[in-house]
Amino acid sequence: MTAFDRLSNISNVLAPPASCSTVQSEDIPEKPYKATVVGSGNWGSTIAKVVAENCIERPQEFDQTVCMWVFEERIKGEKLTEIINTRHENVKYLPGILLPANVVAVPDIVEACKDADIIIFNIPHQFLGNILRQLKGKVNPNARAISCLKGLNVSREGCDVLADVISRELGINCGALSGANLAPEVAQCKWSETTVAYHTPADFRGKGKDIDKKVLKHLFHRPYFHVHVIDDVSGISLAGALKNVVAMAAGFVDGLGWGNNAKSAVMRLGLREMIHFAKLYFPECEERTFTEESAGVADLITTCFGGRNVRVGKYMAEHHVPAEDAEKVLLNGQSCQGIFTTKEVYEFLSQRDTIDEFPLFHVTYDIIYNGFPMEKLPERIERGDEKY
Amino acid sequence: MTAFDRLSNISNVLAPPASCSTVQSEDIPEKPYKATVVGSGNWGSTIAKVVAENCIERPQEFDQTVCMWVFEERIKGEKLTEIINTRHENVKYLPGILLPANVVAVPDIVEACKDADIIIFNIPHQFLGNILRQLKGKVNPNARAISCLKGLNVSREGCDVLADVISRELGINCGALSGANLAPEVAQCKWSETTVAYHTPADFRGKGKDIDKKVLKHLFHRPYFHVHVIDDVSGISLAGALKNVVAMAAGFVDGLGWGNNAKSAVMRLGLREMIHFAKLYFPECEERTFTEESAGVADLITTCFGGRNVRVGKYMAEHHVPAEDAEKVLLNGQSCQGIFTTKEVYEFLSQRDTIDEFPLFHVTYDIIYNGFPMEKLPERIERGDEKY
């Protein structure tokens, strides 16, 4: 039985959900939107689950099949895509969570995306270039995209948020999703919030024919996953990337046993530097995205108390090992974006001679890459803080 | 040997600290300022320790004796003041921490304050009225004050921050100190930050004759306790009071086992409501006090992860008991300000018909005082959040 046959069977046994009856005719598009998720790490698999649940509940608005591109691996001899499509579990990256049967794992990236109206990117930053090269010229030119990636693209020319990189490379409008979302908690349907940001593009084809903010709310909002849709794509993208640098520093404080006061001091200054970075280099960002949205202060908090980056920073402090070693020990092949983002941010700010305005980002770089003693973090922070 | 004799002895054996040599002549007042701390709970004792350390290091600027008013109790037959003055330890409220010998416990409130140039109030909110009645007309009219209290004074006429209540009742200018400061961590000299706020009064008597921002920095700043002095007395006072309401709600989430995403969602909305409250009723407050200062977002974080209020909220959720019972079990006779502040805030906002603009404050009140089921917190929050 193919995945598609299986899906049809399952659709028959699913009772129409309560919300079906309240669909308003204005929400029904000419043709249901088809969503594809590119990526199947713990966050990619979780977002595929969220989206697939909504697609089942809104059959007139969304296509019932949600393709999920999976980087093919063999797990004890079996293909990961086959495991997902038969057992409905990503045993490697999201074990113990049942995925809806309409999530269909596809190993070919072009195949996974070719008919999609909405492509949701959710892969580690370092794989993006290769993925975009494969997709270039192969996606539906009317498609729209959402980036769940955390990171920045720094080059000699400047610094881009990844939504803009996707937009430019594929020629399709791209928004972003970011929030206080530790993947395992969302996967278990524990209540959380998130922020989706989307600019309606100049070539918007009209209601019922094209993705808009309301469609995105319907695609991502769940009773356990409260979505707020705003305009500020750069703001939530920057917040999502830069908070990982702060979380590395918060991890050092954890590992040193300095307590909650010290940790919140680091987070306070980190939030200020995130906002300062945005104001300097992305003047279109709104400060309130950082201070009021789930993608801002709330994501900073949850990331500094429970994410991968804080765990890596803590392990570095406790075991006196380099970041890459801590990453290998702790993350089961997944990546710690903060290590990479810290370097990108440092290089970008150094080129522009503004690194001194970012004492926390600077000392975090020096600790990870130059062996600066983390015990001296407070004095570096205090000196710098007075410059504002 | 009296406490004062003992102090003289100790002064002789203390080597002049390094910072003495760098005292600038402009910092030397006509007569050293004498500081008194009113209160000796764990935070009062800790602030007395901080201040006393600085007084020793700056003998030309500050009187060597720091009186600490102690509500007299008997501990196994011994007076608490005598224990403190002989063993230099507040065995009841800050056990295990050696206080500097120049902290002198005084059981008489008028005696403790009568010669003070700076009176630092650090008692539970509910004792303030009685203390001020005793002090009225008895303090040096040239004295200045700093309030470390967390709370608001709500009456039919309106809502006051406690610094303003102290100012009005005693006729002396009063600033505030508030920050991400769990007392046990500061007492152990773990690194943290704080915010001091002080308006220079219209009757300022001039440099060297009166307290100003620089004197306050010298009095409170330590290598492990970084002080930032600003103007916004109302802002840091409100933040210090209202964050305790948020911490109660964060404790419920902890006790329910909902995870970090849910907790940061509560804190995000809490921060918004704190700022909204300030803007509505204290328009002189600055928003950045809440988003940039230690007394704002950082104190919110540390309080929601380690303070008394979050522990009480968590215990309520885990054991299905009323707030007062949880307070009795957990706090060894100290008070959980959040229980009281939640009620004050609710009554104030209800009288003004604005409670609907504060869904988190409202639901927290209903959970504590009306038995509202805490499991339904997310729906109450979501509904309200859309009103902004």
Side-chain angles (χ1 to χ4, degrees):
Chain A
M1 187 163 78
T2 70
F4 287 89
D5 295 335
R6 185 172 43 70
L7 176 67
S8 313
N9 287 348
I10 284 158
S11 300
N12 295 339
V13 296
L14 278 171
S19 61
C20 280
S21 57
T22 62
V23 168
Q24 294 170 313
S25 59
E26 61 174 35
D27 292 337
I28 302 174
E30 293 180 355
K31 185 173 148 291
Y33 302 115
K34 182 162 167 36
T36 282
V37 176
V38 173
S40 55
N42 69 348
W43 187 220
S45 302
T46 300
I47 282 294
K49 174 176 181 284
V50 164
V51 165
E53 287 169 359
N54 278 325
C55 290
I56 290 175
E57 285 196 10
R58 294 178 174 273
Q60 294 175 294
E61 194 170 358
F62 298 111
D63 192 286
Q64 293 298 283
T65 302
V66 175
C67 290
M68 174 169 78
W69 173 69
V70 175
F71 177 79
E72 192 68 285
E73 308 180 46
R74 295 242 168 208
I75 312 289
K76 296 180 187 163
E78 252 185 306
K79 286 182 178 171
L80 182 54
T81 52
E82 286 181 2
I83 297 173
I84 294 171
N85 288 335
T86 52
R87 304 215 293 271
H88 311 304
E89 182 185 352
N90 184 336
V91 292
K92 177 145 187 193
Y93 296 111
L94 196 64
I97 300 294
L98 194 66
L99 299 174
N102 59 330
V103 172
V104 177
V106 178
D108 182 312
I109 179 68
V110 173
E111 178 72 20
C113 294
K114 73 176 197 301
D115 300 322
D117 301 297
I118 311 173
I119 307 175
I120 300 151
F121 288 89
N122 203 330
I123 48 176
H125 178 177
Q126 56 269 35
F127 300 157
L128 184 64
N130 188 28
I131 289 289
L132 293 179
R133 270 188 296 279
Q134 294 179 65
L135 284 178
K136 205 162 186 168
K138 309 278 175 58
V139 300
N140 172 1
N142 285 337
R144 308 299 184 180
I146 291 290
S147 163
C148 303
L149 276 68
K150 310 284 185 249
L152 298 171
N153 203 49
V154 171
S155 64
R156 286 215 184 99
E157 291 74 42
C159 174
D160 284 319
V161 300
L162 299 181
D164 290 343
V165 173
I166 293 169
S167 253
R168 194 174 54 228
E169 293 299 311
L170 301 186
I172 60 178
N173 191 47
C174 185
L177 179 151
S178 190
N181 303 139
L182 298 176
E185 295 181 8
V186 179
Q188 291 168 61
C189 301
K190 291 186 171 184
W191 170 61
S192 69
E193 299 178 324
T194 201
T195 312
V196 170
Y198 191 73
H199 288 297
T200 306
D203 65 348
F204 178 65
R205 294 184 301 278
K207 207 168 169 53
K209 297 175 186 166
D210 197 353
I211 308 305
D212 60 14
K213 287 192 170 65
K214 195 170 182 189
V215 174
L216 292 171
K217 181 138 187 173
H218 290 173
L219 187 63
F220 291 111
H221 187 88
R222 299 291 301 150
Y224 60 86
F225 191 59
H226 289 190
V227 169
H228 190 211
V229 189
I230 64 172
D231 281 301
D232 189 1
V233 177
S234 301
I236 76 166
S237 302
L238 284 175
L242 297 174
K243 58 108 203 249
N244 286 332
V245 182
V246 184
M248 297 294 301
F252 304 151
V253 171
D254 272 352
L256 292 163
W258 285 0
N260 276 323
N261 295 345
K263 187 164 172 173
S264 26
V266 161
M267 292 166 66
R268 176 196 74 77
L269 183 57
L271 183 62
R272 286 190 71 178
E273 293 191 12
M274 287 162 62
I275 294 170
H276 187 53
F277 187 99
K279 282 184 173 171
L280 272 184
Y281 300 110
F282 292 81
E284 74 276 19
C285 285
E286 296 201 55
E287 182 162 344
R288 68 176 179 196
T289 300
F290 294 84
T291 59
E292 295 185 8
E293 290 299 330
S294 178
V297 62
D299 188 22
L300 177 68
I301 293 168
T302 204
T303 301
C304 287
F305 281 91
R308 298 174 191 173
N309 299 279
V310 72
R311 287 168 56 213
V312 167
K314 186 178 180 196
Y315 193 92
M316 287 171 65
E318 286 173 341
H319 300 272
H320 310 285
V321 296
E324 284 77 7
D325 293 0
E327 185 186 32
K328 279 200 197 87
V329 173
L330 294 173
L331 297 185
N332 185 30
Q334 300 210 64
S335 68
C336 170
Q337 296 283 293
I339 301 173
F340 191 61
T341 306
T342 299
K343 186 160 183 277
E344 285 185 310
V345 166
Y346 171 80
E347 287 171 357
F348 177 76
L349 295 172
S350 295
Q351 275 169 12
R352 276 148 194 83
D353 271 336
T354 50
I355 188 69
D356 287 351
E357 298 175 30
F358 297 87
L360 183 70
F361 292 169
H362 194 175
V363 72
T364 304
Y365 175 82
D366 281 345
I367 289 168
I368 299 177
Y369 291 96
N370 291 330
F372 184 81
M374 45 180 84
E375 292 75 10
K376 292 189 177 173
L377 189 145
E379 41 193 276
R380 288 276 296 269
I381 284 179
E382 185 181 30
R383 247 185 3 237
D385 201 7
E386 311 241 319
K387 294 193 179 174
Y388 289 105
Chain B
M1 187 164 77
T2 70
F4 287 90
D5 294 336
R6 186 174 42 72
L7 177 66
S8 314
N9 287 348
I10 283 157
S11 300
N12 295 339
V13 295
L14 277 170
S19 62
C20 281
S21 57
T22 61
V23 168
Q24 294 169 314
S25 59
E26 63 174 34
D27 292 337
I28 302 174
E30 293 180 353
K31 185 172 147 290
Y33 301 115
K34 185 162 164 35
T36 282
V37 176
V38 173
S40 55
N42 68 350
W43 188 221
S45 302
T46 299
I47 281 293
K49 174 176 180 284
V50 164
V51 165
E53 288 169 358
N54 278 325
C55 291
I56 290 175
E57 284 196 10
R58 295 177 173 273
Q60 294 174 296
E61 193 168 359
F62 297 111
D63 192 285
Q64 293 298 284
T65 302
V66 174
C67 290
M68 175 170 78
W69 173 70
V70 175
F71 177 79
E72 192 68 284
E73 309 180 45
R74 295 242 169 210
I75 313 288
K76 295 181 186 163
E78 254 185 305
K79 286 182 178 168
L80 183 53
T81 52
E82 286 181 1
I83 296 173
I84 293 170
N85 288 335
T86 52
R87 304 216 292 273
H88 312 303
E89 182 184 350
N90 185 336
V91 294
K92 176 146 187 193
Y93 296 113
L94 195 64
I97 300 294
L98 193 67
L99 299 174
N102 58 330
V103 173
V104 177
V106 178
D108 183 313
I109 180 68
V110 173
E111 176 73 20
C113 295
K114 72 175 194 306
D115 300 322
D117 301 297
I118 312 173
I119 307 175
I120 301 151
F121 288 88
N122 203 330
I123 48 177
H125 178 179
Q126 55 268 37
F127 300 157
L128 184 64
N130 189 27
I131 289 288
L132 293 179
R133 271 188 294 280
Q134 294 178 65
L135 284 178
K136 205 162 187 169
K138 308 279 175 59
V139 300
N140 171 2
N142 285 336
R144 308 299 184 181
I146 291 289
S147 163
C148 304
L149 276 69
K150 310 284 185 252
L152 298 171
N153 203 48
V154 172
S155 65
R156 286 218 184 95
E157 290 74 41
C159 174
D160 284 320
V161 301
L162 300 180
D164 290 344
V165 174
I166 293 168
S167 253
R168 191 173 56 228
E169 293 299 311
L170 300 186
I172 60 177
N173 192 46
C174 185
L177 179 150
S178 189
N181 303 140
L182 299 176
E185 296 181 8
V186 179
Q188 292 170 59
C189 301
K190 290 186 172 183
W191 170 62
S192 69
E193 299 178 324
T194 202
T195 312
V196 170
Y198 191 73
H199 288 296
T200 306
D203 66 348
F204 179 66
R205 294 183 302 278
K207 207 170 169 49
K209 297 174 186 165
D210 197 353
I211 307 306
D212 60 15
K213 287 191 170 65
K214 196 171 181 185
V215 173
L216 292 170
K217 179 137 188 174
H218 290 173
L219 186 65
F220 291 111
H221 187 88
R222 298 291 301 148
Y224 61 84
F225 191 59
H226 289 190
V227 169
H228 191 211
V229 190
I230 64 173
D231 281 301
D232 189 2
V233 177
S234 301
I236 77 167
S237 302
L238 285 176
L242 297 174
K243 58 108 203 245
N244 286 332
V245 181
V246 185
M248 297 293 301
F252 303 152
V253 171
D254 272 352
L256 292 164
W258 286 0
N260 276 322
N261 295 346
K263 187 164 174 175
S264 22
V266 161
M267 293 165 67
R268 176 196 74 78
L269 183 58
L271 183 62
R272 287 190 71 177
E273 292 190 14
M274 287 162 63
I275 294 170
H276 187 53
F277 187 100
K279 282 183 173 173
L280 271 183
Y281 300 110
F282 292 81
E284 75 276 19
C285 286
E286 297 201 54
E287 182 163 344
R288 67 176 179 195
T289 300
F290 294 83
T291 58
E292 296 185 9
E293 289 299 328
S294 177
V297 62
D299 188 21
L300 177 68
I301 294 169
T302 204
T303 301
C304 287
F305 281 90
R308 296 173 192 172
N309 300 279
V310 73
R311 287 168 56 211
V312 168
K314 185 179 179 195
Y315 193 92
M316 287 170 66
E318 286 173 340
H319 299 272
H320 310 284
V321 296
E324 284 76 8
D325 293 359
E327 186 186 31
K328 280 201 196 88
V329 173
L330 294 173
L331 297 185
N332 186 30
Q334 301 210 66
S335 68
C336 171
Q337 296 283 291
I339 301 173
F340 192 60
T341 306
T342 299
K343 186 160 184 281
E344 285 185 309
V345 166
Y346 171 80
E347 287 171 356
F348 178 77
L349 295 172
S350 295
Q351 276 170 12
R352 277 149 194 82
D353 271 336
T354 51
I355 188 69
D356 287 350
E357 298 175 30
F358 298 86
L360 183 71
F361 293 170
H362 193 176
V363 73
T364 304
Y365 175 83
D366 280 345
I367 289 169
I368 299 176
Y369 291 96
N370 291 331
F372 183 81
M374 46 179 85
E375 291 75 11
K376 292 190 178 174
L377 189 146
E379 41 192 277
R380 288 278 293 269
I381 284 179
E382 184 180 29
R383 248 188 0 241
D385 199 9
E386 311 240 320
K387 295 193 178 173
Y388 290 104

